Amino acid sequence: MTDRNRLIIFDTTLRDGEQSPGASMNLPEKLEIARALQELGVDVIEAGFPIASPGDFEAVQAVARQVEGVTICGLARCNADDIDRAWEALRDAAQPRIHVFLATSAIHREFKLKMAKEEIVRRAVQGVQRAKQYCEDVEFSPEDAARTELDFLAEVVEKAIEAGATTVNIPDTVGYAVPEQYAAAIRHLKQNVRGIDNVVISVHCHNDLGLAVANSLTALKEGARQVECTINGIGERAGNCALEEVVMAVKTRGDYFGIQSTINTKRLCPSSRLVAHVTGLLVQRNKAIVGQNAFAHEAGIHQDGMLKERRTYEIMQPEDVGLTKTELVLGKHSGRHALREKVRELGYHLDDAQLQRVFEQFKALADRKKQIYDADIEALAETQIHDGPAIWTLESFHTSAGTGTLPMAAVCLAHVDGRKVEDAACGDGPVDAVFKTVERITGISPELRDYQVRSVSVGEDAQGEARVEVEHEGRVQRGQAVSTDVIEASALAFLQAINRLAMRRQQRMNPQTEAVTVS
Amino acid sequence: MTDRNRLIIFDTTLRDGEQSPGASMNLPEKLEIARALQELGVDVIEAGFPIASPGDFEAVQAVARQVEGVTICGLARCNADDIDRAWEALRDAAQPRIHVFLATSAIHREFKLKMAKEEIVRRAVQGVQRAKQYCEDVEFSPEDAARTELDFLAEVVEKAIEAGATTVNIPDTVGYAVPEQYAAAIRHLKQNVRGIDNVVISVHCHNDLGLAVANSLTALKEGARQVECTINGIGERAGNCALEEVVMAVKTRGDYFGIQSTINTKRLCPSSRLVAHVTGLLVQRNKAIVGQNAFAHEAGIHQDGMLKERRTYEIMQPEDVGLTKTELVLGKHSGRHALREKVRELGYHLDDAQLQRVFEQFKALADRKKQIYDADIEALAETQIHDGPAIWTLESFHTSAGTGTLPMAAVCLAHVDGRKVEDAACGDGPVDAVFKTVERITGISPELRDYQVRSVSVGEDAQGEARVEVEHEGRVQRGQAVSTDVIEASALAFLQAINRLAMRRQQRMNPQTEAVTVS
């Protein structure tokens, strides 16, 4: 494959994806996703917006230091503080990239930035130049480019290239573009910007009208060669261009696009499941490529056609995207080695101590459950990539509930300092009673914003995965846990969220400065 | 608005949407959705495929008889039996349409139909002519049109028009098309098919590569004027073009498309929630237009911009799609009239008896729960549109579970014949114990395929909505119920599924013939 036909996949799951309401991730979670992206074969990982918060800075720095063989990118506005801070986070990366942005559309100039065109150009040039002092690989984004006057857009882009930008990204920040128009904008730049043939044209589309993938693909036909995207299409509002869709469209319609990415498509489904687990943003059943139904044929005529010739109704094969049919994997007698292999295959990177804990849980589960599925193993592995040691752990609990009786729970929690505390409470139901008891013991009473349980595999002995989202003193925290007992899973998930709140209360050293983020 | 600028919305939620694995609906559910579609303002409702099964026939007939002011369409293959049966179901509609289809692509001709081109043309013409004997409004679809040779496609379409088709639909049955190519196919037909200007060109796109909406929109620029779509984009595999996305794209980008639909966009969110509830196919948070996050701005820079000027980051307003901010609706002292209004506003059509039951449940809920939200009312209304009288009802239950104890449940069920049966069982957890006890009492032991619980509103006193999907003797059934007690909700949902299986066992008169369905 020549450079000309090479599609660069720029993943921003950790930056724009993390901006999805409810999807904030902690450091171990971000590292796990970064490693999965590296295995998936993406070219660039945008790991965060270093100046936005200490957490963002640490994440970019950790990814820059620990994830190899891929370009690591950090975001910055066009000002010295942002760019310096981005470089501080990125400097240990083998292949660092600084991504600077500044809005260019009339509405952003007038209402948000209150700057004239000349000022925008000046700032953009200064930003690129400052980034270039640190790093050869500099990307420039005119925010809200899709609503910017074409002539002015061409002017800004040309100046950014002169100043040293090696990639110019054309964001449709608000998801307003339609394919033909967006393609025309790329064509206009191709024809009118001096030096454009020496840089990579990138696209960054949002999905507000359901057109992010189509806009990105149409731009590729006009010569764009980098697509900014996220796993499962997560991101601000309706999200970003879905990585798995753009990759499979280019692959399936290679006859039309004539370009190739280096994505290992068999890692698409595992990556999708990992991101869904970590962010709590589940994928709908009819989601293209990675949804549960994406390859399911229901109608009789379709099934009939499939039996006669697969291609009558199937343009991709489930194996191509890593959807394996034989989900049944391990049994009671499977050993540590088989488990280690399976965990890796599912896309998790656990150290020996974590793997040992998963192995113990797996053995306990195999005693209770006849068949262990991939999803069971994933659920166990996932609990390992969250936090450090917990302040409170569940020692034991008991619940009683039913018609005409007051639902009640008794809970015993162990504190990290050694003491054990027992208490009991009533509730609307047994889960509510457990939550109320945990609140009594820990002294933390958050508001429950969301609560979900789902079976992670099939059968009545399937494990239930509980997820809670709570809000306390303006902060949202999530918790997640699995058990064959729904009440136990709920108790553990709630306790995880409480522990995160308690940790935060203990630390209280880094005041929140999450006032910035973008496109 | 002139005819030329009028976009016809053809909804196939009840036909192609119902082909989503796991989404089959019963008659009351289909009628409820049909009424919601009529209120939403769609032009055509494809209500089913009458010959596919007795259930499909009854649904098309009921919708044809009861839903007014909209064209009711039934699907048929190009053969006499199918078409006669379709007409039988449709004949009482004020505005009936027969939709006949026949595959035209080389791969379908060769492997599925084993017919030469001449035979395809002959059958298509015969099909349209037979439908035309019954009904003026006839639609013809060359299945897998997007993979059909353009010249042959033009030939078939021209012959179908000569035979009397008033709408010609160009399906991308397998979701293979890309926008530019698909537009070129429409353009080719516009330029080469005699009589095409006298009929409506329709598009029917699938979302396997994430391009269903984009393909549909691009075709509109070439003169197509009917879009076939489904609420939430449900349908075979990755689903169909999402109605809400295509409607809002055309509305938001009116400057570009220059066409208008008659959809009341404020009904989009209620319709989406109804279909999600009924089918169990939940919408992901980052789904465009109707997802929970579609209008949520997370990033600081975005929030800052929104405060300065909404349009910096918002191209549509949540109110435009019926997403209301003030969700808090009714309290303990609200009366029957307020409840009736609210139920209607949420898109449900309940009779007096159903409304009375919802009112009683609402009062009971208001005793337990401080704040009643829209979602609480929806959950109560939804339980009314399922079945007739149940064979088994839950009299009472008790569960006990916790660390180191064997989870157990005692359940008392009442049979419709008057007897009451009590029993108890152990399980992996209290929910499993309840399910096992219900199985003991009823003598029906299905396999549990899926189990989910989610809070329908916020707060610890939120109701939990439980959903189960079970499989028994090759049939899949679902159950759904709400309660502030997770165990009770689970028991009721499981019992609903069991009742449906028991009903089916009692009836056993209509053998299944669900061997057909399409595109």
Side-chain angles (χ1 to χ4, degrees):
Chain A
M1 148 170 76
T2 67
D3 245 29
R4 186 72 215 109
N5 300 329
R6 170 92 161 76
L7 171 59
I8 299 167
I9 296 292
F10 176 112
D11 181 278
T12 183
T13 304
L14 296 179
R15 205 275 301 164
D16 213 346
E18 204 212 3
Q19 285 177 220
S20 311
S24 55
M25 303 172 229
N26 61 29
L27 185 58
E29 291 169 337
K30 286 187 180 177
L31 271 170
E32 189 68 25
I33 289 178
R35 292 198 185 96
L37 292 171
Q38 188 261 328
E39 283 187 4
L40 179 62
V42 308
D43 300 282
V44 185
I45 294 175
E46 186 164 57
F49 188 2
I51 207 165
S53 74
D56 253 42
F57 180 87
E58 283 163 30
V60 175
Q61 189 171 58
V63 172
R65 288 175 176 172
Q66 296 180 41
V67 180
E68 291 173 357
V70 49
T71 298
I72 310 298
C73 175
L75 186 67
R77 285 168 297 191
C78 281
N79 67 56
D81 287 350
D82 275 41
I83 296 165
D84 296 353
R85 187 84 175 139
W87 178 245
E88 224 180 307
L90 289 167
R91 61 189 315 153
D92 297 332
Q95 303 166 47
R97 172 182 297 185
I98 299 176
H99 178 191
V100 293
F101 75 94
L102 183 63
T104 51
S105 66
I107 190 168
H108 277 246
R109 295 195 308 261
E110 184 178 348
F111 293 102
K112 195 181 74 168
L113 300 174
K114 303 185 199 311
M115 289 183 199
K117 286 180 176 176
E118 301 70 35
E119 175 74 359
I120 300 277
V121 173
R122 205 173 54 76
R123 297 263 188 128
V125 167
Q126 284 174 348
V128 172
Q129 284 172 339
R130 189 170 190 100
K132 198 75 180 181
Q133 289 173 358
Y134 293 123
C135 167
E136 175 51 35
D137 187 348
V138 173
E139 173 167 332
F140 172 73
S141 287
E143 192 191 1
D144 204 18
R147 290 195 296 181
T148 301
E149 307 90 322
L150 280 182
D151 287 348
F152 181 55
L153 184 63
E155 181 189 341
V156 177
V157 167
E158 187 168 295
K159 291 287 164 46
I161 295 172
E162 274 175 27
T166 45
T167 296
V168 289
N169 180 46
I170 309 301
D172 179 21
T173 304
V174 294
Y176 186 73
V178 290
E180 199 186 31
Q181 270 193 335
Y182 191 63
I186 303 294
R187 197 158 53 235
H188 181 88
L189 297 178
K190 260 305 221 198
Q191 288 167 353
N192 294 283
V193 171
R194 215 171 343 157
I196 194 122
D197 292 333
N198 306 321
V199 302
V200 173
I201 303 177
S202 169
V203 291
H204 177 111
C205 297
H206 277 271
N207 205 37
D208 296 74
L209 297 175
L211 296 171
V213 172
N215 287 335
S216 303
L217 290 173
T218 313
L220 295 180
K221 289 295 278 187
E222 299 297 335
R225 281 298 174 268
Q226 173 177 290
V227 172
E228 303 199 358
C229 47
T230 62
I231 302 284
N232 299 339
I234 65 171
E236 280 278 351
R237 306 184 310 278
N240 290 60
C241 174
L243 182 148
E244 60 278 6
E245 294 178 14
V246 81
V247 164
M248 288 310 294
V250 163
K251 183 180 161 104
T252 306
R253 297 306 312 271
D255 63 314
Y256 177 76
F257 291 104
I259 53 178
Q260 287 168 282
S261 74
T262 56
I263 295 293
N264 175 3
T265 61
K266 288 185 195 307
R267 302 299 310 162
L268 287 173
C269 277
S271 305
S272 163
R273 287 197 300 264
L274 175 68
V275 169
H277 271 149
V278 166
T279 60
L281 295 173
L282 303 183
V283 163
Q284 66 196 19
R285 274 166 81 154
N286 57 317
K287 166 81 174 65
I289 313 294
V290 294
Q292 192 184 332
N293 286 358
F295 291 89
H297 297 266
E298 177 79 357
I301 284 184
H302 287 205
Q303 290 172 357
D304 174 57
M306 289 284 286
L307 290 176
K308 288 178 179 153
E309 167 59 49
R310 243 179 132 161
R311 289 174 299 141
T312 51
Y313 289 101
E314 194 169 85
I315 60 171
M316 297 168 279
Q317 303 201 352
E319 304 81 63
D320 294 346
V321 300
L323 190 70
T324 45
K325 288 254 164 72
T326 55
E327 281 187 321
L328 181 61
V329 288
L330 296 173
K332 199 162 172 165
H333 305 292
S334 302
R336 205 178 312 249
H337 184 70
L339 181 74
R340 181 190 298 269
E341 283 305 297
K342 176 51 76 178
V343 165
R344 269 205 64 78
E345 186 192 313
L346 292 171
Y348 289 85
H349 304 79
L350 304 184
D351 62 28
D352 288 344
Q354 291 171 323
L355 203 74
Q356 179 58 26
R357 285 195 292 275
V358 171
F359 186 66
E360 285 159 16
Q361 291 172 12
F362 160 69
K363 282 293 178 184
L365 184 65
D367 277 340
R368 279 181 293 168
K369 201 168 175 306
K370 278 169 295 187
Q371 303 179 315
I372 310 272
Y373 295 88
D374 278 2
D376 289 313
I377 304 292
E378 275 178 335
L380 296 180
E382 217 261 325
T383 59
Q384 295 303 319
I385 57 168
H386 286 297
D387 314 281
I391 293 177
W392 293 98
T393 47
L394 183 67
E395 277 284 300
S396 63
F397 75 98
H398 186 82
T399 62
S400 169
T403 325
T405 62
L406 219 47
M408 60 75 65
V411 175
C412 177
L413 298 185
H415 192 272
V416 68
D417 68 12
R419 68 201 152 95
K420 291 185 182 175
V421 187
E422 301 171 348
D423 210 326
C426 297
D428 287 324
V431 172
D432 182 37
V434 166
F435 289 2
K436 287 215 166 69
T437 314
V438 169
E439 291 177 5
R440 266 193 183 161
I441 294 175
T442 61
I444 302 174
S445 299
E447 197 203 15
L448 187 65
R449 282 170 38 131
D450 195 25
Y451 168 72
Q452 286 184 48
V453 176
R454 62 188 191 104
S455 54
V456 297
S457 49
V458 297
E460 284 181 18
D461 59 356
Q463 295 189 94
E465 176 189 60
R467 292 181 172 274
V468 300
E469 191 176 294
V470 300
E471 186 169 354
H472 189 57
E473 295 170 354
R475 268 200 86 75
V476 173
Q477 283 292 2
R478 285 173 294 119
Q480 177 267 0
V482 287
S483 168
T484 54
D485 177 349
V486 166
I487 314 272
E488 185 176 50
S490 305
L492 291 169
F494 189 68
L495 197 57
Q496 186 179 61
I498 291 278
N499 272 319
R500 289 174 172 188
L501 291 171
M503 287 282 275
R504 171 66 54 172
R505 195 181 265 189
Q506 274 191 354
Q507 294 169 349
R508 279 297 159 77
M509 45 192 198
N510 293 324
Q512 276 302 107
T513 54
E514 293 186 10
V516 281
T517 34
V518 80
S519 77
Chain B
M1 146 170 75
T2 68
D3 245 26
R4 188 70 217 112
N5 301 330
R6 170 96 160 75
L7 172 59
I8 299 167
I9 296 292
F10 176 112
D11 180 278
T12 183
T13 304
L14 297 178
R15 204 275 300 163
D16 214 345
E18 205 212 4
Q19 286 177 220
S20 311
S24 56
M25 303 171 228
N26 61 29
L27 185 57
E29 291 169 336
K30 286 187 180 176
L31 272 170
E32 188 68 26
I33 289 178
R35 291 198 187 96
L37 291 171
Q38 187 263 328
E39 282 187 3
L40 179 62
V42 308
D43 300 282
V44 185
I45 294 174
E46 185 165 57
F49 188 2
I51 207 163
S53 75
D56 253 43
F57 179 88
E58 283 164 30
V60 175
Q61 189 171 59
V63 172
R65 288 176 177 171
Q66 297 180 41
V67 180
E68 291 174 355
V70 49
T71 297
I72 310 298
C73 175
L75 187 66
R77 286 167 299 191
C78 280
N79 67 56
D81 288 350
D82 275 42
I83 295 164
D84 296 352
R85 188 83 175 138
W87 178 246
E88 223 181 306
L90 288 167
R91 61 189 316 151
D92 297 333
Q95 303 167 48
R97 171 182 297 185
I98 299 176
H99 178 191
V100 293
F101 76 94
L102 184 63
T104 51
S105 66
I107 191 166
H108 277 245
R109 295 195 308 262
E110 183 178 349
F111 294 103
K112 195 182 72 169
L113 299 174
K114 301 183 201 312
M115 288 183 198
K117 286 181 177 176
E118 301 68 37
E119 175 73 1
I120 299 277
V121 173
R122 205 174 53 76
R123 297 262 188 128
V125 167
Q126 285 176 348
V128 171
Q129 285 171 340
R130 189 170 190 100
K132 198 75 181 180
Q133 289 174 359
Y134 294 123
C135 166
E136 176 50 36
D137 188 348
V138 174
E139 173 167 333
F140 172 73
S141 287
E143 191 191 2
D144 204 18
R147 290 194 297 179
T148 301
E149 308 89 322
L150 280 182
D151 287 349
F152 181 56
L153 183 64
E155 181 189 341
V156 178
V157 167
E158 186 167 296
K159 291 285 164 46
I161 294 171
E162 274 174 29
T166 45
T167 296
V168 289
N169 181 45
I170 308 302
D172 179 21
T173 304
V174 294
Y176 186 72
V178 290
E180 199 187 29
Q181 270 193 335
Y182 192 62
I186 303 295
R187 197 158 53 233
H188 181 89
L189 297 178
K190 258 308 220 196
Q191 287 166 356
N192 294 283
V193 172
R194 215 170 345 156
I196 194 122
D197 292 333
N198 306 322
V199 302
V200 173
I201 303 178
S202 169
V203 290
H204 176 111
C205 296
H206 277 271
N207 204 38
D208 296 75
L209 297 175
L211 296 171
V213 173
N215 286 336
S216 303
L217 290 173
T218 312
L220 295 180
K221 288 294 279 185
E222 299 296 336
R225 280 299 175 269
Q226 173 177 289
V227 172
E228 302 198 0
C229 46
T230 61
I231 302 283
N232 299 339
I234 65 172
E236 280 278 351
R237 306 185 311 280
N240 289 58
C241 174
L243 183 147
E244 61 278 7
E245 295 178 14
V246 82
V247 164
M248 288 310 293
V250 163
K251 183 180 161 105
T252 307
R253 297 306 310 272
D255 63 313
Y256 177 75
F257 291 104
I259 53 178
Q260 287 167 283
S261 75
T262 55
I263 296 293
N264 174 4
T265 61
K266 288 185 196 305
R267 303 298 310 161
L268 288 172
C269 277
S271 306
S272 163
R273 288 197 299 263
L274 176 68
V275 169
H277 272 149
V278 166
T279 59
L281 295 174
L282 304 182
V283 163
Q284 64 196 19
R285 273 167 81 155
N286 56 318
K287 165 81 174 65
I289 313 295
V290 295
Q292 193 185 331
N293 286 358
F295 292 90
H297 296 265
E298 176 79 357
I301 284 182
H302 287 204
Q303 289 173 356
D304 175 58
M306 288 283 287
L307 290 177
K308 288 178 178 152
E309 167 60 48
R310 243 178 132 163
R311 288 174 300 142
T312 51
Y313 288 101
E314 194 170 84
I315 60 170
M316 297 168 279
Q317 302 201 352
E319 304 81 61
D320 293 346
V321 300
L323 190 69
T324 44
K325 288 255 164 72
T326 54
E327 280 187 321
L328 180 62
V329 287
L330 296 172
K332 200 164 173 163
H333 305 292
S334 303
R336 205 176 312 247
H337 183 70
L339 181 73
R340 182 191 297 268
E341 283 304 297
K342 175 52 76 178
V343 165
R344 270 205 63 78
E345 185 192 315
L346 292 171
Y348 288 84
H349 304 80
L350 304 184
D351 62 28
D352 288 345
Q354 290 171 324
L355 204 75
Q356 179 58 26
R357 286 195 292 275
V358 170
F359 186 66
E360 285 159 16
Q361 290 171 13
F362 161 69
K363 282 293 178 183
L365 185 65
D367 277 338
R368 280 182 293 167
K369 202 168 175 304
K370 277 170 296 189
Q371 302 179 317
I372 310 272
Y373 295 88
D374 278 2
D376 290 312
I377 304 292
E378 276 178 333
L380 296 180
E382 217 262 324
T383 59
Q384 295 303 318
I385 57 170
H386 286 295
D387 313 282
I391 293 177
W392 293 98
T393 45
L394 183 68
E395 277 285 302
S396 62
F397 75 99
H398 186 82
T399 62
S400 170
T403 325
T405 62
L406 219 45
M408 60 76 64
V411 175
C412 177
L413 299 185
H415 193 272
V416 69
D417 67 12
R419 68 200 152 96
K420 290 185 182 174
V421 187
E422 300 171 349
D423 211 327
C426 298
D428 287 324
V431 172
D432 182 37
V434 166
F435 289 2
K436 288 215 166 68
T437 314
V438 169
E439 291 178 5
R440 267 193 183 160
I441 295 175
T442 61
I444 302 175
S445 299
E447 197 204 16
L448 187 66
R449 282 169 38 129
D450 196 27
Y451 168 71
Q452 286 185 47
V453 176
R454 60 185 193 104
S455 54
V456 296
S457 49
V458 297
E460 284 181 18
D461 60 357
Q463 295 190 95
E465 178 189 59
R467 292 179 173 277
V468 300
E469 191 176 293
V470 300
E471 186 169 354
H472 190 57
E473 295 169 354
R475 269 200 85 74
V476 174
Q477 284 291 2
R478 285 174 294 119
Q480 177 266 1
V482 287
S483 168
T484 54
D485 177 348
V486 166
I487 313 273
E488 185 176 51
S490 305
L492 291 169
F494 189 68
L495 197 57
Q496 187 180 60
I498 291 276
N499 273 320
R500 290 174 172 188
L501 291 171
M503 287 282 275
R504 171 68 53 172
R505 194 182 267 188
Q506 275 191 352
Q507 295 169 350
R508 277 299 157 77
M509 46 192 198
N510 294 324
Q512 275 302 106
T513 55
E514 292 187 11
V516 281
T517 35
V518 78
S519 75

